[in-house]
C-alpha cells in the first residue's frame, strides 16, 4: 500500500522515546512492504521556511500517487507550523484516510510533571502553546482516527474515533538459561518522579546484611551530577552515562530491568519506552503498580508489580531473583507475548486495518 508517513519531529534523533518510536514505526512500515513517502524534520519555529518547502513536496507526491492512507507521529508539543495544519486539511479534501498518534498529554496535567515557569517570555510561550493546542484539537477532531498509548488517555478527549495502538518493542535476544547474578539495571531519570530515590532505598534494604544484589544505573551525566554531585555511592551501585548500542553489554550483565514511577495522575497513564527495551533484551521487569504499565506487565507475564514504597519494591526484587527457573518462566512468557502481539509491525497492521479495512495488508 502507498502510505504518507508524517513525523512531527526529526528522525535523526534516536536518544529518547520521541525519537525511538518514529524510527521503529518507519522500519515496521518498510518491513511490511508498504511504499512510503516520509515527511519529517525539525519542528523549531525558526525552521518554518524549510518545513513549508517539505510540505509542498509532500503535497505534490500525494497528487501524483494518491496514497491509501496517512499516518502521523506526533511530538510532545501541539502542531506548531501552519503548513502542517494545511497538510491535514489537504488530505481531508482529497479523501485520504488519516490517523494521528497522540503520544503525550503532560501539558493537560502539567503540575504533576513540570512546574509553572516564571517570567514574561515563558508565560508568553505557554500561552502560545495553549492556543496551538486548541488549534490542534480542532484539527484532530476531523481526522479518521486518533490513537492513544493507553485507554486512560481517552478520558481527556472526545474525538469522534479514538483507538489504542498496542505498545511495542523488538525482540533483540532470548535470555532463557542465562546464569543468575542478582544484578538489576535501571535506565532513566533519577528524580523522585521516576522513583529512583525509592529504588535506592530498596537496594539499601536488600543489601543491609552484605552485598547480595547489585544495581546498574544508566542516566544522563548532567542530571546525575545535579542530583548527587560528589556524593559517595554505595559499593553495590554501578553508574554509566551511555545510550544506544552502548547499553547492550549492560543489559547482558543484568537479570532484571527496573521501573519505579511514583503514583500520580500522570504516571498512571504512562507506558515507558524502557519497559519494552528491557523485555526486548530478555529482561523481566519489576515496576511500581502504576495503572497502565502495571496492567501490561501482568497481562503479558513481563514480571512483577508492587506498591510504591521501598519495602514492597525490595520484596518484589527478592522474589523475582529467588531462582533461575522462575526467571526463565518469565523470559519464555515475555518472548511469546512479544512475538504474538507486541512488535512494531503489529502497530502497523492495526493502522492498516483501521484505515483501510477492505484492503489487504
Amino acid at each position: 500500500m502507498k502510505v504518507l508517513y508524517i513525523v512531527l519531529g526529526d528522525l535523526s534523533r534516536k536518544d529518547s522515546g520521541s525519537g525511538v518510536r518514529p524510527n521503529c514505526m518507519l522500519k515496521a512500515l518498510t518491513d511490511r512492504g508498504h511504499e512510503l513517502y516520509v515527511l519529517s524534520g525539525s519542528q523549531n519555529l525558526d525552521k518554518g521556511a524549510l518545513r513549508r518547502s517539505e510540505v509542498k513536496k509532500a503535497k505534490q507526491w500525494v497528487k501524483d500517487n494518491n496514497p491509501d492512507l496517512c499516518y502521523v507521529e506526533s511530538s510532545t508539543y501541539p502542531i506548531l507550523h501552519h503548513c502542517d495544519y494545511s497538510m491535514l486539511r489537504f488530505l481531508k479534501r482529497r479523501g485520504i484516510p488519516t490517523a494521528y498518534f497522540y503520544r503525550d498529554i503532560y501539558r493537560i496535567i502539567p503540575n504533576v510533571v513540570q512546574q509553572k515557569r516564571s517570567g514574561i517570555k515563558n508565560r508568553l510561550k505557554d500561552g502560545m502553546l495553549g492556543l496551538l493546542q486548541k488549534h490542534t484539537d480542532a484539527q484532530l477532531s476531523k481526522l479518521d482516527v486518533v490513537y492513544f498509548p493507553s485507554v486512560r488517555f481517552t478520558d481527556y478527549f472526545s474525538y469522534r474515533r479514538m483507538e489504542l495502538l498496542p505498545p511495542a518493542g523488538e525482540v533483540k535476544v532470548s535470555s532463557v538459561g542465562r546464569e543468575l547474578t542478582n544484578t538489576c539495571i535501571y535506565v532513566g531519570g533519577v528524580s523522585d518522579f521516576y522513583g529512583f530515590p525509592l529504588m535506592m532505598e530498596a537496594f539499601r534494604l536488600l543489601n543491609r546484611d552484605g552485598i547480595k544484589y547489585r544495581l546498574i544505573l544508566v542516566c544522563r551525566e548532567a542530571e546525575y551530577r545535579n542530583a548527587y554531585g560528589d556524593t559517595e555511592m554505595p559499593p553495590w551501585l554501578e553508574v554509566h552515562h551511555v545510550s544506544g548500542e552502548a547499553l547492550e553489554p549492560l543489559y547482558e550483565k543484568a537479570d532484571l530491568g527496573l521501573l519505579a514511577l511514583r503514583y500520580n495522575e500522570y504516571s498512571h497513564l504512562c507506558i515507558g519506552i524502557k519497559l519494552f527495551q528491557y523485555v526486548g533484551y530478555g529482561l523481566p521487569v519489576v515496576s511500581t503498580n502504576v495503572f497502565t504499565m502495571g496492567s501490561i506487565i501482568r497481562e503479558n507475564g513481563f514480571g512483577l508489580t508492587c506498591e510504591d514504597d521501598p519495602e514492597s519494591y525490595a520484596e518484589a526484587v527478592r522474589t523475582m531473583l529467588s531462582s533461575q527457573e522462575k526467571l526463565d518462566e518469565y523470559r519464555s512468557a515475555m518472548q511469546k507475548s512479544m512475538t504474538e502481539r507486541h512488535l512494531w509491525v503489529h502497530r502497523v497492521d492495526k493502522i492498516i486495518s483501521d484505515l483501510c479495512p477492505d484492503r489487504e495488508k
Side-chain angles (χ1 to χ4, degrees), residues 18-257:
S18 57
V20 170
R21 187 182 298 103
N23 277 284
C24 288
M25 286 297 289
L26 174 60
K27 183 177 184 300
L29 284 160
T30 303
D31 288 347
R32 279 300 195 231
H34 300 298
E35 180 184 339
L36 298 181
Y37 186 95
V38 181
L39 169 59
S40 67
S42 171
Q43 290 297 290
N44 292 346
L45 292 178
D46 61 356
K47 303 292 185 181
L50 178 59
R51 186 67 180 183
R52 286 192 297 275
S53 174
E54 294 302 313
V55 168
K56 183 178 180 180
K57 294 175 188 176
K59 285 182 176 180
Q60 188 59 53
W61 181 86
V62 170
K63 292 176 182 177
D64 294 341
N65 291 273
N66 193 32
D68 297 287
L69 64 95
C70 172
Y71 172 67
V72 184
E73 272 281 340
S74 68
S75 71
T76 57
Y77 286 109
I79 299 172
L80 298 179
H81 292 290
H82 180 270
C83 58
D84 286 307
Y85 292 99
S86 171
M87 185 72 190
L88 294 178
R89 290 193 295 268
F90 169 75
L91 295 170
K92 180 70 175 178
R93 289 195 301 271
R94 295 187 69 89
I96 295 170
T98 301
Y100 181 100
F101 180 64
Y102 206 131
R103 64 173 297 264
D104 204 332
I105 59 171
Y106 78 95
R107 290 189 56 78
I108 293 176
I109 42 179
N111 291 334
V112 175
V113 183
Q114 60 178 11
Q115 300 297 319
K116 286 289 187 183
R117 297 175 297 182
S118 61
I120 188 168
K121 287 181 66 175
N122 284 325
R123 289 198 297 271
L124 287 172
K125 181 179 179 180
D126 285 338
M128 181 195 72
L129 289 173
L131 183 61
L132 286 171
Q133 188 64 60
K134 291 180 180 179
H135 287 316
T136 297
D137 289 337
Q139 185 63 55
L140 298 188
S141 67
K142 301 172 185 177
L143 300 187
D144 297 273
V145 183
V146 177
Y147 288 112
F148 293 104
S150 72
V151 67
R152 284 202 168 187
F153 274 63
T154 62
D155 294 339
Y156 295 85
F157 302 94
S158 57
Y159 302 130
R160 62 180 182 178
R161 184 178 178 186
M162 298 184 289
E163 297 279 348
L164 307 183
L165 273 182
E170 299 175 80
V171 177
K172 297 281 190 178
V173 297
S174 172
S175 59
V176 175
R178 182 187 294 174
E179 183 180 353
L180 182 62
T181 64
N182 281 3
T183 301
C184 303
I185 187 169
Y186 168 67
V187 182
V190 297
S191 69
D192 186 62
F193 173 80
Y194 295 104
F196 184 69
L198 177 154
M199 200 180 299
M200 287 284 283
E201 184 57 33
F203 272 78
R204 290 189 181 95
L205 294 173
L206 288 165
N207 292 300
R208 59 187 169 189
D209 297 322
I211 298 175
K212 299 177 182 178
Y213 301 87
R214 296 186 179 275
L215 173 61
I216 299 170
L217 164 65
V218 184
C219 64
R220 291 185 174 93
E221 184 174 3
E223 185 179 354
Y224 178 82
R225 195 165 52 244
N226 289 337
Y228 293 99
D230 296 325
T231 304
E232 184 177 353
M233 290 291 106
W236 41 260
L237 180 66
E238 180 180 325
V239 182
H240 297 269
H241 308 298
V242 297
S243 61
E245 293 182 359
L247 282 168
E248 293 184 9
L250 300 178
Y251 285 141
E252 290 174 3
K253 292 171 62 175
D255 303 307
L256 286 181

Side-chain angles (χ1 to χ4, degrees), residues 315-331:
E315 183 57 32
V317 171
R318 188 182 293 111
T319 298
M320 286 292 290
L321 296 178
S322 61
S323 75
Q324 184 167 319
E325 182 181 5
K326 182 185 291 290
L327 279 180
D328 281 344
E329 289 175 1
Y330 279 107
R331 289 162 177 163

